[in-house]
Amino acid sequence: VVSRSSLAASGRALRIGEAARALGVTPRTLRYWDELGLLAPSGHTEGGERLYAPSDVERGARIRELQELLGFSLSQIGAVVQSDDVLERLRRARAEGAPAAAQRRLLTEAIEANDELLARLDDTLGRVAAFRDERRAKRDRLRARLRALAAEAPEP
Amino acid sequence: VVSRSSLAASGRALRIGEAARALGVTPRTLRYWDELGLLAPSGHTEGGERLYAPSDVERGARIRELQELLGFSLSQIGAVVQSDDVLERLRRARAEGAPAAAQRRLLTEAIEANDELLARLDDTLGRVAAFRDERRAKRDRLRARLRALAAEAPEP
DNA sequence: TTGCTCCTCACGTCACGTGAGGTGGC
DNA sequence: TTGCTCCTCACGTCACGTGAGGTGGC
């Protein structure tokens, strides 16, 4: 996993292998995401090689988080990352002179989607913490058992 | 997801459909886990139906947690749940008069495995929390944008 | 020229989903 | 007898993994 700042700092376009390494996936995964339309590289070389801009890599990082931390399917992820582009879509709507009500609807829908995500994150957070507490209790039980064993038959 | 206490309270053996509902999976999943040897029901009816004891369901709940919260593969999960049975294996080793060194090794290996799990849980916890903070910041940005929109073109 | 990375098929895999056809207990 | 749930094949699906065979720039 690469930090945001280091991603943004290198303003260079990456070849598929470099982008894959930065994201912790394989080139095959990026080709699959491209095939699905989930993450299309914003450029290509003359030879047909995919070129990933920093913004592409950031989008890829969001996809990974949703996949790894929340276990979302790629189609669910597609819906989320699309609603993530709301500020850009809003700018375009304003440029095209969309009515104020339509602009508001765009924003409120994105806010709702983001709130649902926040609720799931809080839920996951609670469950991981509970699981960790279980495992800490187990650690203490095992340690106590080991101490009992040592007391009963001391090491040579 | 069913609470531990309610699971332990009903000391009854469950048919596959009931066990699946308690675990939040489908019967097909439990048959697959059985086929892999990951979770074999501790009993069967004369007619060949699988019967899941409360301890089977608890084991299933641990499998689900490892799968959902940490994204482990079923073979990784198999290794973890096997090392989870260490206290029972220790009892058997002692009954068979295993040497003290072997008993200690059993315990220390289980402690190590559990500690690795704890490290992964802490890592996951941090990443989910960081992701949640990102999403909270996004929520605030979107809300501010909506307020700006409302100030600019008040609702009818 | 030799490596290295890239490309497109295309088949394999993991963890199930989904009928197909049939059996068994209230 | 009628539902309901169970059973075992067995093919389909999702998200890639893994070569197979070939191209392109230092």
Side-chain angles (χ1 to χ4, degrees):
Chain A
V1 184
V2 171
S3 76
R4 283 294 151 87
S5 53
S6 76
L7 279 179
S10 70
R12 223 181 92 240
L14 304 179
R15 297 174 77 188
I16 196 170
E18 300 169 311
R21 258 188 302 278
L23 290 170
V25 299
T26 68
R28 173 67 171 105
T29 299
L30 291 184
R31 289 193 195 103
Y32 183 60
W33 290 357
D34 187 8
E35 189 186 327
L36 292 184
L38 182 61
L39 177 60
S42 53
H44 288 86
T45 65
E46 286 184 18
E49 297 184 353
R50 294 170 178 82
L51 288 178
Y52 291 84
S55 64
D56 296 335
V57 179
E58 280 179 39
R59 185 184 175 97
R62 291 209 308 276
I63 292 172
R64 284 282 285 166
E65 286 172 325
L66 291 165
Q67 196 181 34
E68 275 202 295
L69 301 179
L70 295 180
F72 281 15
S73 72
L74 293 187
S75 81
Q76 286 178 299
I77 292 173
V80 172
V81 296
Q82 196 179 18
S83 112
D84 270 1
D85 296 338
V86 64
L87 289 182
E88 201 184 339
R89 292 217 313 282
L90 179 63
R91 259 187 288 278
R92 220 168 307 170
R94 289 167 71 83
E96 289 169 7
Q103 296 183 29
R104 262 197 303 274
R105 189 151 27 82
L106 221 57
L107 266 178
T108 52
E109 279 172 12
I111 289 174
E112 259 181 61
N114 192 64
D115 282 349
E116 277 179 40
L117 215 60
L118 268 169
R120 292 220 29 171
L121 283 165
D122 283 331
D123 177 64
T124 297
L125 214 49
R127 293 170 61 184
V128 176
F131 193 28
R132 183 195 53 178
D133 291 344
E134 258 182 55
R135 289 289 158 171
R136 280 185 174 166
K138 185 181 183 76
R139 182 187 55 181
D140 296 341
R141 282 199 306 276
L142 291 178
R143 282 181 178 170
R145 199 74 184 72
L146 185 60
R147 277 196 304 275
L149 238 177
E152 162 191 319
E155 287 194 65
Chain B
V1 183
V2 171
S3 76
R4 285 293 149 90
S5 54
S6 77
L7 279 179
S10 70
R12 224 181 90 241
L14 304 180
R15 297 175 76 187
I16 195 170
E18 300 168 310
R21 257 190 302 278
L23 290 169
V25 299
T26 67
R28 173 68 172 106
T29 298
L30 291 184
R31 289 191 195 105
Y32 183 59
W33 291 356
D34 187 8
E35 188 186 328
L36 292 184
L38 181 61
L39 177 61
S42 52
H44 288 86
T45 64
E46 285 183 20
E49 297 185 354
R50 296 169 178 80
L51 288 178
Y52 291 84
S55 64
D56 296 334
V57 178
E58 280 179 39
R59 185 185 175 97
R62 290 208 310 274
I63 293 173
R64 284 283 284 167
E65 286 171 326
L66 291 166
Q67 197 181 34
E68 275 202 294
L69 301 179
L70 295 179
F72 280 16
S73 71
L74 294 187
S75 79
Q76 287 177 299
I77 292 174
V80 172
V81 296
Q82 196 179 16
S83 111
D84 269 0
D85 295 338
V86 64
L87 289 183
E88 201 184 340
R89 292 217 313 283
L90 180 64
R91 259 186 289 277
R92 221 169 306 171
R94 289 167 71 82
E96 290 168 6
Q103 296 183 29
R104 263 197 302 274
R105 189 150 30 77
L106 220 58
L107 265 177
T108 53
E109 278 172 11
I111 288 174
E112 259 181 61
N114 191 64
D115 282 349
E116 276 179 41
L117 215 60
L118 267 169
R120 292 219 32 170
L121 282 165
D122 282 332
D123 177 64
T124 297
L125 212 52
R127 294 171 61 186
V128 175
F131 193 29
R132 182 197 53 180
D133 291 345
E134 258 182 56
R135 289 289 158 171
R136 281 185 174 165
K138 186 180 182 78
R139 182 188 55 183
D140 295 341
R141 282 200 306 276
L142 291 178
R143 282 182 178 170
R145 199 76 185 72
L146 185 60
R147 277 196 303 274
L149 237 176
E152 163 190 319
E155 288 193 65

